[in-house]
Amino acid sequence: MVLKRPEATPNQEPEPKAELIEHLVKKSLDINPNLRGGKDTREVLEDLKREALARSKQGGGAAPAEGPAAASAPRANLAERRKSTMAFFFEQKAQEFDGAIADLDARERLLHKERKELQERFTADLTDFVALMAGGDSPEVREVLKEQRAFLTKLGANEQEILRQAKGRR
């Protein structure tokens, strides 16, 4: 996704830089609605403006300096805001990613559990069938179990286990 500044119409003056920041905040809220904290976009923007105003009042009591230092201050301020906006976006993406990974991990655990239960059910079905057909042990059973080793491996079982369990079910 590319975040672009809305274009101005030919008769309209370009937006002030504060509007650009508002645009990025709006995009961030669209990307991650959890940032709203139950507020609408207008309320979030007002809170951010109040915080920015409070920050500027804390450090902005002196008159602006003259010369090259004064010219670099707005640039530094812009760079600081840009850096802050990017950090904010990355933090939100990191939180979103962590949440998605946690969800995937939980689903993966559930799938692993389902797979284990499925393997156990099929192993029990085979064991019951072997016990029913051959009483638990016969040369034919041993031969078929050897031929079906690949299937037994998928089930997480082996020939001896099936034979032992089948003998116990007679």
Side-chain angles (χ1 to χ4, degrees), residues 146-163:
K146 283 182 185 178
E147 291 172 2
Q148 297 297 322
R149 276 187 183 152
F151 177 52
L152 294 175
T153 301
K154 287 180 188 177
L155 292 176
N158 59 49
E159 301 161 45
Q160 292 77 27
E161 183 181 331
I162 299 287
L163 290 172

Side-chain angles (χ1 to χ4, degrees), residues 123 127 130 136-137 141-142 145-146 149 152 157-168:
T123 301
T127 303
V130 167
D137 195 8
V141 168
R142 290 182 181 277
L145 288 174
K146 283 182 185 178
R149 276 187 183 152
L152 294 175
N158 59 49
E159 301 161 45
Q160 292 77 27
E161 183 181 331
I162 299 287
L163 290 172
R164 183 178 48 76
Q165 289 179 6
K167 285 179 185 177

Side-chain angles (χ1 to χ4, degrees), residues 90-147:
F90 274 79
E91 288 171 11
Q92 297 315 308
K93 280 301 183 186
Q95 287 177 0
E96 189 177 326
F97 180 77
D98 290 344
I101 289 296
D103 182 49
L104 284 175
D105 288 343
R107 290 177 18 213
E108 185 177 35
R109 284 190 297 277
L110 285 173
L111 286 173
H112 181 71
K113 181 181 174 190
E114 280 184 49
R115 178 187 205 111
K116 185 79 171 154
E117 290 170 354
L118 189 65
Q119 289 172 321
E120 290 170 358
R121 189 182 77 200
F122 274 77
T123 301
D125 290 348
L126 291 176
T127 303
D128 290 343
F129 183 74
V130 167
L132 179 67
M133 292 298 291
D137 195 8
S138 73
E140 296 87 14
V141 168
R142 290 182 181 277
E143 187 177 332
V144 170
L145 288 174
K146 283 182 185 178
E147 291 172 2

Side-chain angles (χ1 to χ4, degrees), residues 10-26:
N11 297 341
Q12 182 183 19
E13 290 184 27
E15 299 178 325
K17 291 177 183 168
E19 299 259 342
L20 174 63
I21 300 300
E22 286 180 17
H23 177 70
L24 292 175
V25 170
K26 289 176 184 177

Side-chain angles (χ1 to χ4, degrees), residues 54-99:
R55 268 189 260 129
S56 68
K57 284 182 180 179
Q58 288 174 352
E66 297 291 326
S72 66
R75 275 196 190 136
N77 192 15
L78 178 61
E80 180 72 25
R81 289 188 316 205
R82 206 179 283 140
K83 180 181 174 186
S84 173
T85 300
M86 288 189 292
F88 172 77
F89 182 79
F90 274 79
E91 288 171 11
Q92 297 315 308
K93 280 301 183 186
Q95 287 177 0
E96 189 177 326
F97 180 77
D98 290 344

Side-chain angles (χ1 to χ4, degrees), residues 40-55:
D40 65 16
T41 304
R42 182 186 48 76
E43 291 172 327
V44 171
L45 286 170
E46 287 174 2
D47 288 349
L48 289 172
K49 286 177 185 177
R50 275 194 294 273
E51 289 174 22
L53 182 62
R55 268 189 260 129

